[in-house]
Amino acid sequence: MMHDVTEGRDVEFAPPNEDTMHSLPTPEEMRTEASIRSNQAGSEAREAKVYRRSRQIGICMATLCAIGLIISLSLFFVDRGSTSRDEENAYREKWAKSYLSALPFGEAIANEDEDSPQWRAMNWLVRDDPLRMALPRSADDARGKKFVERYILTLLYFSAGGENWSNNMRFLTGKDTCEWNRFFQDGEGEVFLLGAQCINSDSVNKIWIRKSKFCIVSVVMKAFP
């Protein structure tokens, strides 16, 4: 027992309790705690890895769904566009056939002779001409002259075997018929303008094909002043 001499009275101090005394962890406790922390860290790492993988899978699935949707929409609109173009071509063929079959050289069109130059020319104007010019609706339609002019030159191309020309003179292109021509230089250095020519006019009034050396279309065009 210890005495407090300051107050003049005795004070009893209890010896320290072993349960309340602080002691350092033993090596075994330290290993156990380290093992627990390591397991916790490993578990957290695995959870993070699983989360990242799940997120990546989710992103991939969303991307694939988006791509599938885009492809489906593209195919839908392409098919719809093709259908619309086919319907438009059928409508254009109807008007072209009605107009051209009434002309002096329109018998092959009226008879739907698909192997004839007349039908091939009309079919090109209706379906394949990049210009896709407006079609006349009646005999007095102002668009008729340019349409017939383009038809005649196209007819010339198919009738004269234009597929085998060494110089196509820009025939069957999207250009205006006044530009269906090319300059040609012969072996003597003389330059010729081959093809359709619009001399002092916005319509073709002369055509020159070097092989034939005479004007062909100007004679035909007289029927359509």
Side-chain angles (χ1 to χ4, degrees):
M1 178 180 297
M2 298 182 66
H3 299 276
D4 186 351
V5 297
T6 305
E7 299 291 336
R9 56 187 177 85
D10 294 334
V11 178
E12 183 177 354
F13 293 93
N17 191 336
E18 292 182 359
D19 294 336
T20 61
M21 292 180 63
H22 176 71
S23 62
L24 294 175
T26 64
E28 182 65 26
E29 291 175 337
M30 293 180 65
R31 285 193 295 271
T32 301
E33 184 176 357
S35 177
I36 293 173
R37 290 181 180 178
S38 176
N39 290 335
Q40 289 178 342
S43 177
E44 291 175 355
R46 286 191 296 272
E47 290 178 358
K49 185 176 181 179
V50 170
Y51 172 77
R52 288 194 300 270
R53 182 173 298 176
S54 300
R55 184 179 179 183
Q56 290 173 351
I57 293 174
I59 292 174
C60 290
M61 292 297 294
T63 303
L64 290 175
C65 289
I67 293 174
L69 179 61
I70 292 172
I71 293 175
S72 300
L73 289 174
S74 299
L75 292 175
F76 171 76
F77 284 113
V78 167
D79 182 65
R80 184 176 180 182
S82 300
T83 302
S84 300
R85 177 56 66 91
D86 291 340
E87 293 175 351
E88 180 186 352
N89 286 341
Y91 179 77
R92 287 171 59 83
E93 181 180 307
K94 175 183 175 181
W95 280 107
K97 180 182 175 183
S98 175
Y99 189 87
L100 294 174
S101 61
L103 299 179
F105 45 81
E107 182 178 354
I109 293 177
N111 295 333
E112 298 188 1
D113 183 0
E114 297 184 4
D115 294 326
S116 67
Q118 291 90 337
W119 185 274
R120 294 177 66 193
M122 183 198 72
N123 188 66
W124 183 84
L125 286 171
V126 168
R127 302 178 184 278
D128 301 323
D129 186 357
L131 187 62
R132 294 187 74 81
M133 67 185 307
L135 302 180
R137 298 290 188 268
S138 62
D140 57 351
D141 194 322
R143 295 172 293 188
K145 183 176 181 180
K146 290 297 290 185
F147 175 70
V148 171
E149 176 182 281
R150 197 170 184 85
Y151 171 76
I152 290 174
L153 292 175
T154 305
L155 176 60
L156 170 65
Y157 179 88
F158 286 114
S159 299
E163 301 97 326
N164 300 318
W165 290 351
S166 58
N167 186 339
N168 66 6
M169 296 167 286
R170 296 195 184 94
F171 273 59
L172 272 61
T173 65
K175 295 181 178 295
D176 186 89
T177 48
C178 288
E179 298 182 62
W180 283 13
N181 51 55
R182 284 184 185 275
F183 285 100
F184 171 80
Q185 185 175 14
D186 64 11
E188 299 177 357
E190 188 173 357
V191 177
F192 300 90
L193 180 61
L194 299 181
Q197 299 180 34
C198 298
I199 302 174
N200 300 322
S201 173
D202 61 351
S203 299
V204 175
N205 48 29
K206 181 179 180 182
I207 184 168
W208 180 259
I209 298 179
R210 185 73 176 86
K211 184 177 180 180
S212 62
K213 295 187 178 180
F214 64 91
C215 182
I216 300 174
V217 175
S218 61
V219 177
V220 179
M221 293 296 290
K222 288 182 179 179
F224 308 96

